[in-house]
Amino acid sequence: MTQAEYDIVVSGGGVAGLAAASVFGSAGFSVLCVDPAPPITARDAEGSDLRTTAFLQPAQALLDRAGVWAPLAPHAADLQVMRIVDAGGEVPEPRVTREFDASDISEKPFGWNLPNWLLRREMVAHLESLPSVTFRPGTGTTTLFTRESEARVGLSDGSRVRCRLVIAADGRNSPIREAAGVEVKTTRYGQKALAFAVTHPIPHENVSTEIHRSGGPFTLVPLPDHEGRPSSAIVWMEEGPEVARLAALPVEDFEAEMNIRSCHLFGPLTLASRRTVWPIISQVAERMCAERVALVAEAAHVVPPIGAQGLNMSLGDMRVLLELAEAAPERLGDRAMLETYHRRRHLEVRARVTGIDLLNRASMMRAQPLRDARAQALDAIYSLAPVRKTLMQMGLGARG
């Protein structure tokens, strides 16, 4: 039986997989992108992803080069200021508030925030304009066979394809990673996150706000106005049983609790979407490559949603892969290319996962003396201008 041939097979049609297909397709590589579940591209559809993604400057530049950013830009909310609030005192009120303004280090905002369901909608539409990309939603990968010169991938529709490189963008439980025999180290926190959208009377003024008390951060990220009112996306991290309790509350009771947790910084919050629940873990693959396989995004690394690092790390993976592929297209997917990719990404990824792990553990603190120490540390860091600027630059993706 004749097998179709591509330069690259992307396993995974989430935001990371669609971005990979766009990036490499726009660079002229022939790409097949598959995912067993068709993308849900409507806000109110059952199963839609109500989380948001903040694209920091380097990630936005990569998407702009791939031609993806133009259709996304009208829907994006600028992230000009990152505000951290410590509300870990005896009562849930702000006691330390510090703001990190992008204007201190750049003429541009830190980033731009977009809903994940909308990202999928626009990215799928963009793939249709790329003649070198084939997108097959509803089809997944089932088998992987590699040799030094190529990879052969079996698909759930019974067909098989050949390629020079397989990009595993198929999530934290990646079937390609498992088939390639790459182990992972997983850290579980006993946390989950509630993700939902709200409206509020006080404009967010492009300020992303992270409120720390206990259990995990309560983060409000700017969205464009919804039905004529200022709107934000919220990720509320707590211990698992508490998230289950909150998710089951009637809307009126839930709004009362989220208003207390928000410290009323934006006035009374009104729920503007359904509530979705997501598990929180850290995870790092032992290697970011195997024979003819590159691991990217959550197949390679998973972090708690703190500091907008998750998908931006993923696009950092793709940026390095693209640089290597374009520098020597004839070596796409070979051992030397993938070993270089691993060396350039793995150390930085591990460092960022470790840093976010520490921040998450600090945000979970319940003992009052530890919460007091956290507030003092935030105050001390902010007061040192060189340290503050270095942290902002590292947050954008600069190597520290």
Side-chain angles (χ1 to χ4, degrees), residues 215-295:
F218 182 99
T219 306
L220 301 101
V221 188
L223 287 174
D225 288 0
H226 178 64
E227 296 180 349
R229 302 192 69 206
S231 181
S232 294
I234 292 181
V235 176
W236 184 356
M237 292 165 58
E238 279 285 0
E239 293 177 357
E242 176 65 0
V243 167
R245 183 188 73 82
L246 291 166
L249 288 175
V251 170
E252 184 176 345
D253 295 338
F254 179 77
E255 288 180 336
E257 297 227 16
M258 75 174 173
N259 277 300
I260 293 171
R261 187 64 177 82
S262 73
C263 300
H264 304 283
L265 292 178
F266 294 91
L269 306 178
T270 301
L271 189 64
S273 73
R274 72 181 193 286
R275 292 161 273 179
T276 58
V277 175
W278 303 87
I280 301 298
I281 64 170
S282 287
Q283 185 167 277
V284 184
E286 288 186 354
R287 293 185 56 77
M288 293 186 64
C289 67
E291 187 175 63
R292 291 285 160 183
V293 173
L295 306 183

Side-chain angles (χ1 to χ4, degrees), residues 190-215:
Q191 284 174 302
K192 292 188 177 179
L194 280 159
F196 52 94
V198 297
T199 58
H200 39 80
I202 300 174
H204 50 62
E205 297 182 336
N206 298 324
V207 177
S208 177
T209 303
E210 211 170 77
I211 305 170
H212 295 263
R213 183 162 171 77
S214 65

Side-chain angles (χ1 to χ4, degrees), residues 21-43:
S22 295
V23 165
F24 285 92
S26 66
F29 294 95
S30 61
V31 180
L32 171 67
C33 180
V34 297
D35 192 282
I40 298 172
T41 57
R43 181 183 188 273

Side-chain angles (χ1 to χ4, degrees), residues 316-363:
D317 301 339
M318 294 168 209
R319 189 164 53 247
V320 171
L321 267 181
L322 181 64
E323 288 174 7
L324 295 171
E326 291 190 316
E330 73 282 359
R331 290 175 40 204
L332 178 70
D334 74 8
R335 185 183 302 275
M337 173 191 164
L338 292 176
E339 287 290 344
T340 302
Y341 167 66
H342 170 76
R343 286 196 305 273
R344 286 182 57 180
R345 288 300 295 154
H346 200 235
L347 188 61
E348 180 181 337
V349 161
R350 287 173 59 187
R352 287 184 183 271
V353 171
T354 299
I356 295 167
D357 172 84
L358 292 172
L359 290 173
N360 187 40
R361 292 181 189 279
S363 76

